[in-house]
């Protein structure tokens, strides 16, 4: 099993996603002799998972059923254990596009955190690219290194435990892109410039506060970065549902139709809007925004090394 290469069959040691519904899923490490409890009953790894195909419908001990999905960076973002605040698919998608990442790209990242963005970057640059990720916190760095090994992507990533603001990324003049998600990104701009290739490399900094953005942009200008721009993504979800609306009282227009000899029993008049006047309401499908919307997550600042 690998997060960048699809495998048909569930094997001992794999990470799989147990799918109970769109709003209910969780990751599980498949191990011989282990059981997993769900609200639908027990899943026995030895008999219910190992050897089955990904995507299989598995019946639990209480008669309910779940699907077992192959892990992807998108599913991992939704289900990973949070060691820090993470980036979600909305921000990740614009980051990979604006950094112009592709298979074979070399990327530097700080900090690693819970590895949400890291998995997406690895999948984007595979099979010939590489991610150099730096994490200041030792335990988080060790846990990230362990997860990458379990997920079959350790050959595509190098995890370093150090302070990027003092020691940099450990590479020079090879990166196609640099991503910063640290409290004081302006202190790492110089190291980011050193890590980027000679010309044309891209940088992105994620910050939750506009004061951090202002200071970072000033330092980017001092180091000669160009095309500096900042954006913010706000995602608004819609539900498609059936809406019932009362038909308005058309007043004099309805009376005029009646006086003109309008006959609702006449087939030629069937389907006329006036035939709905007796019903009182009309139903139709509409997109309705959710009552609450996830607002500000952070600002994304992009620039190019000239």
């Amino acid at each position: 099993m690998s997060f960048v290469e699809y495998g048909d069959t569930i094997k001992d040691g794999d990470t799989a996603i147990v799918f109970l519904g769109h709003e209910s899923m969780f990751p599980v490490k498949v191990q011989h002799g282990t059981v997993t409890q769900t609200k639908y009953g027990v899943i026995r790894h030895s008999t219910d998972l190992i050897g089955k195909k990904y995507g299989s419908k598995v019946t639990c001990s209480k008669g309910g059923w779940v699907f077992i999905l192959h892990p992807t960076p998108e599913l991992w973002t939704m289900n990973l254990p949070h060691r820090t605040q993470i980036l979600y698919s909305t921000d990740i998608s614009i980051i990979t596009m604006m950094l112009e990442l592709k298979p074979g790209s070399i990327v530097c990242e700080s900090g690693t955190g819970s590895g949400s963005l890291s998995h997406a970057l690895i999948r984007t640059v595979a099979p010939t690219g590489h991610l150099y990720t730096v994490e200041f916190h030792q335990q988080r760095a060790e846990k990230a290194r362990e997860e990458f090994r379990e997920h079959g992507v350790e050959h595509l990533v190098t995890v370093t435990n150090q302070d990027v603001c003092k020691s940099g990324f450990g590479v020079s003049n090879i990166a196609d892109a640099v991503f910063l998600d640290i409290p004081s990104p302006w202190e790492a701009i110089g190291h980011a410039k050193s890590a980027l290739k000679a010309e044309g490399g891209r940088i992105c900094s994620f910050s939750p506060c506009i004061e951090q953005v202002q200071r970072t942009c000033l330092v980017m200008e001092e180091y000669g970065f160009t095309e500096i721009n900042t954006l913010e993504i706000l995602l608004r979800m819609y539900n498609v549902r059936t809406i019932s609306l009362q038909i308005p009282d058309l007043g004099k227009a309805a009376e005029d139709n009646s006086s003109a000899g309008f006959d609702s029993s006449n087939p030629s008049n069937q389907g006329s809007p006036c035939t709905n006047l007796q019903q009182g309401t009309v139903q139709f499908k509409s997109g309705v925004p959710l009552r609450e919307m996830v607002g500000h997550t952070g600002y994304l600042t992009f620039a190019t090394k000239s």
Side-chain angles (χ1 to χ4, degrees):
M1 185 278 303
S2 170
F3 272 54
V4 297
E5 296 175 359
Y6 184 79
D8 263 345
T9 307
I10 304 172
K11 299 181 177 64
D12 189 15
D14 281 3
T15 298
I17 305 297
V18 179
F19 180 89
L20 292 83
H22 289 291
E23 301 298 328
S24 180
M25 62 184 93
F26 59 90
V28 62
K29 184 174 181 180
V30 179
Q31 292 179 310
H32 185 77
T34 302
V35 299
T36 296
Q37 295 283 350
T38 75
K39 62 181 180 180
Y40 300 127
V42 171
I43 301 174
R44 295 176 175 82
H45 294 201
S46 300
T47 57
D48 296 334
L49 299 184
I50 297 176
K52 300 289 182 64
K53 287 191 174 183
Y54 279 107
S56 296
K57 184 178 179 179
V58 174
T59 302
C60 305
S61 61
K62 293 181 180 179
W65 46 266
V66 299
F67 288 103
I68 308 300
L69 306 181
H70 192 284
T72 65
E74 292 81 6
L75 288 174
W76 186 244
T77 290
M78 297 170 63
N79 295 283
L80 59 77
H82 286 226
R83 299 183 288 273
T84 59
Q85 292 281 359
I86 69 168
L87 290 176
Y88 289 92
S89 298
T90 307
D91 287 318
I92 291 173
S93 60
I94 197 71
I95 289 170
T96 55
M97 184 189 76
M98 295 292 286
L99 290 181
E100 302 174 3
L101 301 182
K102 59 186 182 298
S105 295
I106 306 297
V107 186
C108 292
E109 175 197 27
S110 183
T112 312
S114 301
S116 174
L117 176 64
S118 304
H119 282 82
L121 294 177
I122 291 169
R123 199 263 306 275
T124 303
V125 304
T128 56
H130 201 83
L131 172 67
Y132 294 89
T133 183
V134 178
E135 172 57 54
F136 173 78
H137 193 274
Q138 182 179 356
Q139 285 74 25
R140 287 201 293 263
E142 292 174 354
K143 185 60 179 177
R145 198 177 288 116
E146 177 186 340
E147 283 182 350
F148 294 142
R149 183 171 58 255
E150 290 179 352
H151 297 166
V153 296
E154 72 276 9
H155 61 292
L156 297 170
V157 57
T158 299
V159 182
T160 305
N161 172 220
Q162 63 187 30
D163 185 351
V164 70
C165 297
K166 295 179 179 179
S167 306
F169 293 94
V171 296
S172 299
N173 302 317
I174 65 169
D176 297 288
V178 169
F179 177 79
L180 299 173
D181 183 6
I182 54 177
S184 51
W186 56 87
E187 295 182 3
I189 298 299
H191 294 297
K193 184 176 181 179
S194 299
L196 287 168
K197 60 186 181 182
E199 186 175 356
R202 295 278 286 166
I203 184 174
C204 174
S205 173
F206 176 90
S207 297
C209 302
I210 195 63
E211 292 81 8
Q212 294 170 301
V213 174
Q214 292 170 331
R215 192 165 178 181
T216 301
C217 289
L218 290 174
V219 176
M220 283 181 174
E221 287 183 341
E222 292 176 6
Y223 277 93
F225 283 91
T226 59
E227 299 178 337
I228 302 173
N229 64 85
T230 299
L231 56 87
E232 176 188 29
I233 303 173
L234 299 177
L235 179 64
R236 190 176 190 184
M237 302 293 292
Y238 278 75
N239 281 338
V240 177
R241 61 179 65 175
T242 301
I243 302 295
S244 295
L245 289 181
Q246 189 172 12
I247 296 176
D249 183 1
L250 300 180
K252 191 174 185 303
E255 295 175 3
D256 291 344
N257 283 330
S258 297
S259 62
F262 180 83
D263 182 5
S264 62
S265 64
N266 187 336
S268 64
N269 290 327
Q270 295 298 321
S272 172
C274 292
T275 62
N276 292 327
L277 289 174
Q278 305 302 321
Q279 300 175 5
T281 61
V282 62
Q283 293 185 334
F284 59 93
K285 293 289 186 181
S286 178
V288 180
L290 301 182
R291 292 183 179 274
E292 295 182 357
M293 181 183 75
V294 177
H296 173 79
T297 57
Y299 300 102
L300 293 168
T301 300
F302 296 91
T304 302
K305 181 179 178 181
S306 61

